[in-house]
Amino acid sequence: MRIALDDAALLHRDAPEAQEARAEGNRAFGAFMREALPDVSDTTHALACELIITTLTSGGKVFSETARTPAEIDAYSTAMADMFCAYLAHLTRD
Amino acid sequence: MRIALDDAALLHRDAPEAQEARAEGNRAFGAFMREALPDVSDTTHALACELIITTLTSGGKVFSETARTPAEIDAYSTAMADMFCAYLAHLTRD
């Protein structure tokens, strides 16, 4: 199942529709992060966006490669959200 | 080069020496995190260890898949370290 999904993902990844959806998602996330961090430089904003998106996607991918209970999923996603919130609070304090 | 490294990594990953080195690394990291978070529960400690190790390894892997300047590497690793420090400070405050 994972192999079939990987094959489908490879075909899907570079399709124009997928690129457009990804660009739209990045714009929305950038706007959200600009609201959360109104006073930081564009450089800090871009770096924080990249770090959070990469952590969310790559960390989520690795976590999902092992079977997990709903309680484990809840605990891990809450911990990751706490980490992001602590980082955003740190950036707004500087 | 990356493919050759991937093949070598697959052979290396499950070797007893590699498992032992990984277990030793996990013990050292767990001890470091226990010093950083002396008052949290074992559950919170284990979750924070998993989250930080996964973020470091999977986020680092994705970041390194694109060519980067030394300045970009420095900025990204500093941002990731800031995120971890903010998360640890948040956990010690609770």
Side-chain angles (χ1 to χ4, degrees), chain B residues 36-68:
Chain B
L37 302 170
D39 300 322
V40 306
S41 70
D42 286 350
T43 306
T44 299
H45 172 260
L47 192 57
C49 284
E50 181 180 8
L51 178 60
I52 289 182
I53 286 181
T54 304
T55 301
L56 200 55
T57 52
S58 67
K61 180 170 182 293
V62 169
F63 182 77
S64 73
E65 284 168 359
T66 304
R68 308 283 186 167

Side-chain angles (χ1 to χ4, degrees), chain A residues 50 54 58 68 76 83 86-87, chain B residues 50 54 58 68 76 86-87:
Chain A
E50 182 179 8
T54 304
S58 68
R68 309 284 186 166
Y76 193 77
M83 182 170 75
Y87 179 51
Chain B
E50 181 180 8
T54 304
S58 67
R68 308 283 186 167
Y76 194 76
Y87 179 50

Side-chain angles (χ1 to χ4, degrees), chain A residues 47-48 50-52 54-55 58-60 62-63 68 72 75-76 79-80 82-84 86-87 90-91 93-94, chain B residues 47-48 50-52 54-55 58-60 62-63 68 72 75-76 79-80 82-84 86-87 90-91 93-94:
Chain A
L47 192 57
E50 182 179 8
L51 178 60
I52 290 183
T54 304
T55 301
S58 68
V62 169
F63 182 77
R68 309 284 186 166
E72 285 173 335
Y76 193 77
M80 196 184 276
D82 284 350
M83 182 170 75
F84 293 153
Y87 179 51
H90 159 78
L91 289 177
R93 271 196 305 272
D94 281 356
Chain B
L47 192 57
E50 181 180 8
L51 178 60
I52 289 182
T54 304
T55 301
S58 67
V62 169
F63 182 77
R68 308 283 186 167
E72 284 172 337
Y76 194 76
M80 196 184 275
D82 284 350
M83 182 171 75
F84 293 153
Y87 179 50
H90 160 77
L91 289 177
R93 271 196 304 272
D94 279 356

